[in-house]
Amino acid sequence: MNLVNRIINFAKAKTFAFKCISIGVALALVASMCLVKLASIQLIDGRQMAQAATASRTSTITLSAKRGRILDSNGTVLAQSVERYTIVANPEAAQEFTPIDCNKNNQDYCHQIDGKPVGATGAAAVGRLLAKALDMSAMELGADLSVSGQYVVLKKDVTPQVKRSIDNLNLGGIVWGELSSERIYSDGDLMGSLLGGVNDEGTGVAGIELSENKVLTGTDGHQTYQRGNYGGEEIPGTMTESVAAKDGSDVNLTIDRDVQWYVKKILKDAKSKYGASWVIGVVQDVQTGEILALADSDEVEAGTNEAKLGSSRAVSETFEPGSVGKLISEAGYLQTGLHKMTDQFTVPNSVTEDGQTFKDSFDHGNMRWTLAGILQQSSNIGMVIAGKGYTDEQRYEYMTKFGIGQYTGLDLPGESSGVLTSPSSWDLRTRNTVLFGQGYTVNILQLNNVAATLANKGVREQQSIIKSTTDSSGKTTEVKKKQGTRVVDEQVASDMMNAMESVSEGYSKFVKVDGYRMAAKSGTAQVAGPTGALTSIVSDYSVVIPADNPRFAVTVAMKDPQGVYGGLTAGPVSAQICEFLMQKYEVPVSSPRKDAIPVTW
């Protein structure tokens, strides 16, 4: 029995030992696997996990470039981008927020509203704290903060003062401000649609903001760094890349704000005084072609939707020039050698040419006028009689030489080149009406440059409205423009100015500037009314001042004024502008006129 018992006990012991060894081996195997996994995590996967954690915290933030300014010729700012902030928040962090009641020991990080506890937690509490600073309802803010995610925009274009007040609410990591900008226009409707506006992305969409968008737009920079858990703040020392933004260049205009302001005021007053539908005016430096003022009576504020969706009437409105167009024809008569300004004509009460009958705006007997007198009396009949021998090709040639039917080169959005058809499309009436400013259309800039060309001794200068640009480093670059083009000889231009001065003297009771001689031409043309029929009137007046030493060309155009005729409506308005120019620029008074070409014989 003892032997049997010993055998049984030995077997049990052996079995137990085997189990112990098996368990030990299993434990050793598990331990080995744990060690291998630990080593893998630390030595192999650790870098990847660290990189993933870093990536989750790393953000690349755009540094917005500031859009360049638009300034007048004297450096007065007309449009600029100012510092603004977009207030954003982390909704998930807001929903976990618990305000800290204030006591004397925690004033730097506690939360209260007007000295009282917030009275809520989570998104509702954050909404209550922000409501006053953002001028929004706490309920609306609470709703905005109750969504999923870690980023939501609460309000755009807030001032730096508002952003600082939010910084003082001790909501770091929950609410913060991101730098942006807002386009500000200092003068309301002074240049309205001419300046235009920008869209929500800060891109020019109308006016000079559009035409000069490439120059005004800068290049954004960026910064790459790690944020804290709630995303609002940079972790110190984690900046890995920083590229500074390059601001856009400033655009310096030829426009003189003071002149623009005065012209705008006068045009708005004239619209009211004469009951006109609209009034347009332009002031140009004769010698340089620079536009000092380009205005209309429309009351459109720069930057508004109306300014962004439309274009300046001063560049888009076209009309028949009426008798101001006679300047082109008479200059052509002289330049081609067809006539001299002293040539004598007998002008009857009507004339029939090519089967078409033409009359003047007033009845008269046989009048003995020189070519200068035909211009002074604004005789359509005289222009047709004098135009015999002046071919259709010549009529078209000189209109194009003076810039009719062509864009001005100002590159202003919405500009119309007007309508000038080729001679081959003219009927028997149109070929003669073009001699006295009917049968084609112009914009006011084209029309003004006709007078300016004659005042500039026959050289047509390229008109300009952009003077220079100044980049973010302060370097100024003058804008190059095309060289002037001679249209007529200097003597022809001088004779035309002489005859225009006689025209001006004929209106001296209504259109004058004491001490200064003026050379001018008035016009009145029928244009299409609301029904498409020729029921409306455009009256215009172009003037050069001083006539003896030309400095400025001014043109005013009005639609449907009470008083009708250009010399009686647009003329006095032009004179008001001229008087201001003489005073502002302290132009010396004129010498007496002694060389007038005879207007009768």
Side-chain angles (χ1 to χ4, degrees):
M1 286 295 294
N2 291 336
L3 178 60
V4 173
N5 289 336
R6 283 198 297 272
I7 291 172
I8 292 172
N9 291 336
F10 176 76
K12 289 181 177 179
K14 187 176 180 180
T15 300
F16 178 75
F18 179 77
K19 290 181 177 179
C20 289
I21 291 171
S22 298
I23 292 171
V25 171
L27 291 174
L29 182 61
V30 171
S32 298
M33 292 175 65
C34 289
L35 288 172
V36 171
K37 185 62 177 177
L38 180 61
S40 174
I41 292 173
Q42 292 182 338
L43 300 178
I44 299 175
D45 296 337
R47 179 177 298 176
Q48 294 179 354
M49 294 181 68
Q51 289 175 344
T54 299
S56 68
R57 296 192 303 268
T58 300
S59 297
T60 298
I61 304 301
T62 299
L63 302 177
S64 299
K66 183 179 290 187
R67 188 172 178 82
R69 301 174 299 172
I70 301 176
L71 306 96
D72 86 332
S73 59
N74 300 310
T76 301
V77 177
L78 302 172
Q80 63 179 323
S81 294
V82 296
E83 180 181 340
R84 292 291 183 264
Y85 288 86
T86 298
I87 303 302
V88 297
N90 183 332
E92 293 181 2
Q95 291 161 30
E96 297 175 1
F97 172 68
T98 300
I100 299 173
D101 291 338
C102 294
N103 58 53
K104 63 181 180 180
N105 298 318
N106 66 357
Q107 296 295 316
D108 292 337
Y109 57 88
C110 68
H111 307 94
Q112 60 182 353
I113 300 174
D114 296 332
K116 298 178 181 180
V118 177
T121 60
V126 177
R128 291 185 183 186
L129 287 165
L130 291 172
K132 184 175 181 180
L134 291 180
D135 192 25
M136 296 172 65
S137 74
M139 185 176 297
E140 178 184 358
L141 288 165
D144 291 340
L145 294 165
S146 296
V147 299
S148 60
Q150 297 185 348
Y151 189 93
V152 66
V153 174
L154 299 180
K155 193 169 187 178
K156 294 182 178 181
D157 295 330
V158 307
T159 64
Q161 292 87 341
V162 171
K163 191 260 185 184
R164 286 194 293 269
S165 68
I166 291 173
D167 290 341
N168 294 332
L169 294 176
N170 300 320
L171 293 173
I174 300 176
V175 181
W176 64 95
E178 294 182 348
L179 183 64
S180 63
S181 64
E182 182 182 6
R183 199 65 168 169
I184 299 296
Y185 302 92
S186 57
D187 289 308
D189 70 352
L190 180 63
M191 293 181 66
S193 297
L194 188 60
L195 287 176
V198 300
N199 61 17
D200 291 342
E201 287 71 44
T203 301
V205 294
I208 292 172
E209 292 278 25
L210 172 58
S211 63
E212 297 300 309
N213 185 64
K214 185 176 180 180
V215 175
L216 292 164
T217 302
T219 303
D220 290 344
H222 63 270
Q223 288 182 339
T224 302
Y225 56 81
Q226 295 180 40
R227 291 174 175 259
N229 288 336
Y230 292 133
E233 301 170 350
E234 174 191 349
I235 298 176
T238 62
M239 181 80 69
T240 58
E241 186 176 20
S242 180
V243 177
K246 182 180 180 181
D247 292 339
S249 296
D250 291 341
V251 171
N252 310 295
L253 305 182
T254 62
I255 297 287
D256 185 319
R257 182 196 174 278
D258 292 344
V259 179
Q260 179 78 13
W261 175 86
Y262 187 79
V263 172
K264 180 80 174 183
K265 176 183 180 300
I266 292 300
L267 298 187
K268 289 165 72 173
D269 290 347
K271 178 183 177 183
S272 176
K273 178 179 179 179
Y274 294 100
S277 298
W278 49 254
V279 189
I280 308 172
V282 57
V283 177
Q284 179 175 334
D285 185 302
V286 165
Q287 297 177 356
T288 66
E290 293 181 349
I291 304 301
L292 304 183
L294 182 60
D296 56 60
S297 56
D298 295 347
E299 298 185 25
V300 177
E301 293 195 7
T304 62
N305 288 336
E306 189 175 359
K308 296 176 189 178
L309 295 174
S311 57
S312 170
R313 185 184 297 276
V315 299
S316 64
E317 194 72 55
T318 58
F319 48 90
E320 288 189 348
S323 292
V324 179
K326 291 170 181 170
L327 297 177
I328 299 172
S329 300
E330 286 215 3
Y333 296 165
L334 300 180
Q335 185 64 33
T336 58
L338 179 64
H339 292 299
K340 299 187 294 298
M341 195 59 79
T342 54
D343 284 357
Q344 300 171 347
F345 299 87
T346 298
V347 182
N349 191 48
S350 67
V351 66
T352 299
E353 185 72 19
D354 298 324
Q356 304 292 313
T357 300
F358 300 93
K359 292 180 63 68
D360 288 332
S361 61
F362 60 98
D363 291 329
H364 56 77
N366 289 338
M367 306 302 295
R368 302 203 302 179
W369 292 325
T370 63
L371 189 62
I374 289 174
L375 189 70
Q376 184 196 46
Q377 297 298 322
S378 199
S379 173
N380 296 343
I381 299 169
M383 293 300 296
V384 173
I385 293 172
K388 293 178 180 179
Y390 190 54
T391 68
D392 289 358
E393 288 71 25
Q394 289 173 326
R395 300 173 194 205
Y396 182 81
E397 176 188 358
Y398 279 93
M399 284 190 283
T400 55
K401 281 186 174 182
F402 274 99
I404 305 305
Q406 304 161 51
Y407 289 105
T408 61
L410 296 179
D411 296 326
L412 293 173
E415 179 186 348
S416 172
S417 62
V419 176
L420 175 61
T421 58
S422 65
S424 61
S425 66
W426 293 347
D427 58 28
L428 294 178
R429 188 167 187 82
T430 300
R431 69 177 299 271
N432 284 302
T433 62
V434 297
L435 295 175
F436 48 83
Q438 295 180 20
Y440 63 94
T441 62
V442 297
N443 65 37
I444 198 168
L445 288 158
Q446 294 169 332
L447 192 60
N448 195 63
N449 215 18
V450 172
T453 297
L454 297 173
N456 194 39
K457 300 179 179 180
V459 175
R460 179 163 70 96
E461 294 292 343
Q462 169 62 57
Q463 292 170 307
S464 62
I465 200 168
I466 309 298
K467 190 177 186 69
S468 62
T469 61
T470 304
D471 65 22
S472 56
S473 66
K475 180 182 177 182
T476 297
T477 304
E478 295 290 326
V479 174
K480 294 182 180 180
K481 63 178 183 178
K482 295 179 181 178
Q483 188 173 1
T485 303
R486 179 162 293 283
V487 177
V488 294
D489 294 340
E490 188 170 333
Q491 185 58 53
V492 170
S494 177
D495 289 345
M496 288 298 302
M497 287 288 291
N498 192 310
M500 289 169 65
E501 192 166 356
S502 295
V503 173
S504 180
E505 288 177 349
Y507 286 104
S508 60
K509 290 183 178 180
F510 314 101
V511 187
K512 65 177 181 178
V513 178
D514 290 340
Y516 295 92
R517 289 160 52 185
M518 304 164 75
K521 186 69 190 82
S522 65
T524 308
Q526 286 185 308
V527 297
T531 64
L534 296 179
T535 56
S536 285
I537 293 291
V538 168
S539 301
D540 49 26
Y541 197 88
S542 290
V543 58
V544 174
I545 189 170
D548 54 327
N549 184 24
R551 286 283 305 276
F552 306 104
V554 177
T555 297
V556 170
M558 315 172 73
K559 185 174 183 182
D560 291 331
Q562 296 173 3
V564 181
Y565 296 110
L568 304 180
T569 55
V573 179
S574 299
Q576 288 180 281
I577 295 171
C578 288
E579 184 175 28
F580 176 83
L581 294 170
M582 297 302 96
Q583 294 173 355
K584 174 178 172 58
Y585 294 103
E586 299 180 347
V587 178
V589 296
S590 296
S591 57
R593 186 185 187 196
K594 299 178 180 179
D595 62 346
I597 295 174
V599 294
T600 59
W601 59 278

